[in-house]
Amino acid sequence: MKFLDQAKIYVKSGDGGDGVVAFRREKYIEFGGPDGGKGGRGGDIVFVAASNLNTLIDFRYTQHFRARKGGNGAGSDRTGAAAPPVVIQVPIGTQIFDEDRETMLADLDEPGKRIVLCHGGDGGYGNAHYKTSTNRAPRRADKGWPGEERWIWLRLKLIADVGLVGLPNAGKSTFLSVVSAARPKIADYPFTTLHPQLGVVRLSVSEEFVIADIPGLIAGAHEGAGLGDRFLGHVERCAVLLHLIDGAAGDVVKAWRTIRHELEAYDPGLAAKPEIIALNKIDAMTPQQISSRRRALEKASGARVVTLSGVTRQGLDDVLRLLQDEVTAIREAERNEAPPAATQRPEPTP
């Protein structure tokens, strides 16, 4: 299935049904009076986060969604039928923006979360609503209220625990294929990964986390160079970043600084996330090169640097354990953050 993380669609809720003018006519009832009913409510436009979806590709082929109009009223003071809502399923992590692409309308970041984006119009009143002691035979009935309509943008941000970042050919796809069941494309040329990939890492029965591999960044990505930085949004929700650096490429400090610069240019909040720096491809280096390049990275970053090889699996277990511990600690801290208690007003003294 092709990956698509942005889509523009048109939505319109249903108009309300029309009220009617009707009068009661029965044998032996001389003055029946008005009994025109109210129109039914138009259908809503509802968005729901579905766990079985991971792309917005369906919205490439279906871009217009319209709910039905409510039923018209009828005699005997009968209200028209309400139209059913149009339920649109989107992947978990989908954000809904207004047409300006800046105003966020909803963030469906939990399974089953739903939002009524466009409310259906109310039904118009029939003439039974307008009868009074002085106006016993009103001939007024209202049209139903129009529904809401708008163009919106859907933007998908994948839900993952660990975000893989690095230059092209840093070994991210190989790492993902080794530690999970994901099968991304792997080749010896840059930009083999053209869209984000997800993989689930299971260390034990009760320990697992999700890794998101995004296409490689290059210098100037925030200005559109290479594939740009449009895929960086998929690691905004991650708890920790795993920064893979190709140790066999040479200047590892420059590679680290390039990615850090692009992260900060995209979003300072993303650059502030916990980062684990991993010197990859140690199977292609001598012990002296591993030691010197690791020290250079630690001096430049001021953080601990781990070493690994995705091909030979050397050091993988230690890196996965470190990631699991970081993810567990961060998610636990997020769960323990209780919302501020509501201010209790003192009861009035009798």
Side-chain angles (χ1 to χ4, degrees):
M1 180 180 294
K2 188 172 181 179
F3 182 83
L4 187 70
D5 63 350
Q6 291 188 29
K8 184 179 182 180
I9 64 173
Y10 170 84
V11 292
K12 184 183 185 305
S13 58
D15 298 336
D18 301 334
V20 299
V21 175
F23 292 90
R24 182 180 181 185
R25 294 182 176 87
E26 294 183 32
K27 193 175 182 180
Y28 306 122
I29 299 180
E30 184 177 359
F31 302 104
D35 66 351
K38 177 183 177 182
R41 183 179 177 84
D44 297 331
I45 299 291
V46 182
F47 284 84
V48 179
S51 57
N52 61 336
L53 299 176
N54 55 15
T55 177
L56 299 175
I57 189 64
D58 292 340
F59 299 101
R60 171 166 290 181
Y61 310 106
T62 305
Q63 299 169 344
H64 295 79
F65 297 86
R66 295 181 175 88
R68 292 172 53 189
K69 176 184 176 181
N72 294 333
S76 300
D77 205 8
R78 288 177 292 177
T79 301
V86 172
V87 180
I88 304 174
Q89 293 188 336
V90 294
I92 301 172
T94 299
Q95 294 177 330
I96 304 176
F97 288 85
D98 202 357
E99 191 174 4
D100 60 8
R101 307 183 71 169
E102 295 181 358
T103 306
M104 185 186 296
L105 304 176
D107 188 2
L108 304 178
D109 56 352
E110 297 178 1
K113 189 173 182 179
R114 59 194 293 130
I115 179 73
V116 180
L117 189 68
C118 295
H119 292 270
D122 291 330
Y125 289 119
N127 68 333
H129 175 79
Y130 294 104
K131 64 181 179 181
T132 64
S133 60
T134 58
N135 185 12
R136 299 186 178 184
R139 283 170 170 78
R140 173 184 173 182
D142 298 336
K143 291 286 187 180
W145 287 91
E148 301 174 348
E149 60 179 325
R150 65 199 317 166
W151 283 92
I152 59 173
W153 279 92
L154 303 179
R155 185 179 303 167
L156 174 60
K157 291 185 178 180
L158 297 176
I159 304 295
D161 299 306
V162 177
L164 275 179
V165 296
L167 292 172
N169 271 21
K172 302 187 298 298
S173 297
T174 301
F175 178 87
L176 184 66
S177 66
V178 171
V179 302
S180 71
R183 291 296 174 262
K185 182 178 180 180
I186 301 173
D188 59 352
Y189 54 85
F191 299 113
T192 53
T193 300
L194 298 178
H195 55 79
Q197 300 277 350
L198 286 180
V200 179
V201 179
R202 290 185 175 87
L203 296 186
S204 64
V205 177
S206 60
E207 291 181 314
E208 68 177 30
F209 58 88
V210 179
I211 295 182
D213 171 26
I214 66 169
L217 301 172
I218 62 174
H222 67 282
E223 298 176 346
L227 294 177
D229 60 3
R230 62 169 290 191
F231 294 119
L232 273 178
H234 295 290
V235 296
E236 287 184 14
R237 305 180 192 269
C238 296
V240 61
L241 300 178
L242 177 61
H243 188 166
L244 285 184
I245 299 175
D246 183 359
D251 194 345
V252 294
V253 174
K254 181 181 178 181
W256 175 78
R257 286 176 175 163
T258 297
I259 298 301
R260 292 299 303 176
H261 174 70
E262 296 304 322
L263 294 178
E264 292 170 359
Y266 176 80
D267 183 2
L270 181 60
K273 285 184 175 292
E275 178 188 39
I276 296 176
I277 304 173
L279 188 63
N280 195 17
K281 302 184 181 181
I282 60 175
D283 57 299
M285 294 184 288
T286 64
Q288 292 78 11
Q289 290 175 327
I290 296 173
S291 178
S292 62
R293 293 173 184 177
R294 180 177 183 176
R295 287 198 304 269
L297 270 177
E298 290 178 337
K299 182 178 179 181
S301 64
R304 174 191 171 192
V305 176
V306 297
T307 59
L308 63 92
S309 170
V311 175
T312 64
R313 300 185 64 91
Q314 184 178 352
L316 274 184
D317 293 340
D318 294 336
V319 173
L320 295 180
R321 172 48 57 188
L322 182 60
L323 289 173
Q324 180 68 70
D325 293 343
E326 285 281 347
V327 169
T328 301
I330 293 173
R331 296 306 190 201
E332 185 66 26
E334 292 175 351
R335 285 192 292 268
N336 291 337
E337 287 182 359
T343 303
Q344 298 291 334
R345 294 185 178 182
E347 295 183 0
T349 304

